[in-house]
Amino acid sequence: MKKAPPPRKQLVAPKKATAAVKAAPAETVVEPAGDESRTALVRRARRINRELAEVYPYAHPELDFENPFQLVIATVLSAQTTDLRVNQTTPALFAKYPTPEDLAAANPEEVEEILRPTGFFRAKTKSVIGLSKALTEDFGGEVPGRLEDLVKLPGVGRKTAFVVLGNAFGRPGITVDTHFQRLVRRWRWTGETDPDKIEAAVGALFPKSDWTDLSHHVIWHGRRICHARKPACGACPIAALCPAYGEGETDPEKAEKLLKYEKGGLPGQRLNPPQAYLDAGGRPAPPLGAG
């Protein structure tokens, strides 16, 4: 007679909730998603988004901006740095160069000095001045509201274009940044690694009207709880739905110490966040050089 195979080890979600976020139900077994049907995947993905919408009802773009021009410039500057550092840097930039025409005619050395804190400031200076010249010469000084036009601008790819379309023009788009890529693979929504393929695969799981808010929910969760190196699994509100539960710290008390920004009682990334964020207990970030 053949021996019966040993029982598969089960991962159990945390029993205790933290004060900062809603924890998974007690004794909930987190099963792998390898044999998941397409229908089950869609249901689980949409449930994760609904749960995150409850955790982050105030989710918003974490770049300070007052118009489409400021948003596209800030998004280009956010490459290889934090939104916080961009937000601390752009007030001086926009005070001196409030329009595309102003920035297009700027002295590169003066722009470089302003952008120095964001890193890669020479390349970023070239991009934002080139972008401003293109806006001035090709679009009458206005940021276009079409994907095919936005991606023609220097330094603007699909990710930046969807940030602008979704948050400045109200047109749905999925923002596939590093957080989004990491989390959707952890959740086994897709195994793709190419951003365009990730965008297509995840977009197919949700109604188009959900895309922009979905991007905010996933990115916020990646920044606050589901970190790259040490995810706070024990403080995760969707642990019961996550096939990767257990990759990070599962002890609730230890996990709570890993939480960032408002979940950890710390300031956020925007100097001028929306009122809904402030009403939810979030605190604005300090300006450059403060503290």
Side-chain angles (χ1 to χ4, degrees):
M1 295 180 63
K2 295 182 179 180
K3 294 183 178 179
R8 183 172 57 185
K9 185 178 179 181
Q10 295 177 327
L11 296 174
V12 180
K15 298 179 181 180
K16 292 172 63 180
T18 68
V21 295
K22 183 174 62 177
E27 301 294 347
T28 299
V29 176
V30 181
E31 295 286 359
D35 299 327
E36 195 171 37
S37 69
R38 175 71 181 181
T39 299
L41 171 60
V42 170
R43 288 175 177 171
R44 181 170 62 87
R46 294 184 182 186
R47 183 179 171 191
I48 285 175
N49 188 41
R50 290 195 301 271
E51 294 283 343
L52 294 181
E54 293 184 8
V55 178
Y56 311 106
Y58 44 75
H60 58 269
E62 293 194 88
L63 291 166
D64 282 325
F65 70 99
E66 295 180 357
N67 53 56
F69 172 63
Q70 291 188 1
L71 180 58
V72 71
I73 293 294
T75 307
V76 169
L77 295 178
S78 68
Q80 304 297 316
T81 191
T82 64
D83 287 357
L84 170 60
R85 186 46 57 106
V86 174
N87 292 336
Q88 292 174 327
T89 305
T90 51
L93 180 71
F94 296 140
K96 190 166 186 177
Y97 311 106
T99 69
E101 292 82 0
D102 295 324
L103 191 50
N107 181 328
E109 292 183 357
E110 294 179 0
V111 177
E112 286 178 1
E113 192 58 34
I114 295 173
L115 300 185
R116 186 179 295 271
T118 69
F120 302 97
F121 58 92
R122 291 189 178 89
K124 290 180 179 180
T125 294
K126 184 177 180 180
S127 289
V128 298
I129 289 180
L131 188 160
S132 298
K133 287 181 178 178
L135 290 176
T136 301
E137 296 170 2
D138 301 333
F139 298 99
E142 299 291 333
V143 176
R146 300 193 311 165
L147 175 65
E148 54 266 39
D149 292 331
L150 284 167
V151 295
K152 294 177 183 176
L153 298 171
V156 176
R158 288 179 69 87
K159 183 189 81 170
T160 297
F162 281 131
V163 170
V164 175
L165 289 173
N167 298 291
F169 293 99
R171 296 175 184 172
I174 293 178
T175 304
V176 184
D177 72 350
T178 54
H179 300 287
F180 194 95
Q181 292 182 49
R182 179 177 74 253
L183 267 62
V184 299
R185 287 199 294 269
R186 277 182 177 167
W187 296 335
R188 299 186 191 173
W189 289 2
T190 179
E192 299 289 353
T193 56
D194 177 77
D196 291 351
K197 292 181 179 179
I198 290 173
E199 177 195 324
V202 175
L205 301 176
F206 294 89
K208 193 173 182 179
S209 58
D210 288 352
W211 288 356
T212 299
D213 285 341
L214 168 71
S215 300
H216 291 323
H217 298 154
V218 175
I219 292 169
W220 276 57
H221 193 61
R223 286 175 172 167
R224 284 150 177 78
I225 296 177
C226 195
H227 311 135
R229 295 184 180 179
K230 198 169 185 180
C233 293
C236 181
I238 58 165
L241 301 170
C242 180
Y245 173 79
E247 287 187 7
E249 179 57 66
T250 58
D251 179 84
E253 293 184 3
K254 293 180 180 179
E256 188 174 358
K257 295 178 181 179
L258 301 174
L259 302 181
K260 295 182 179 180
Y261 302 113
E262 80 286 351
K263 292 302 177 187
L266 305 172
Q269 297 201 78
R270 289 187 66 164
L271 278 68
N272 298 298
Q275 188 60 46
Y277 178 74
L278 299 174
D279 292 342
R283 289 190 284 135
L288 190 66

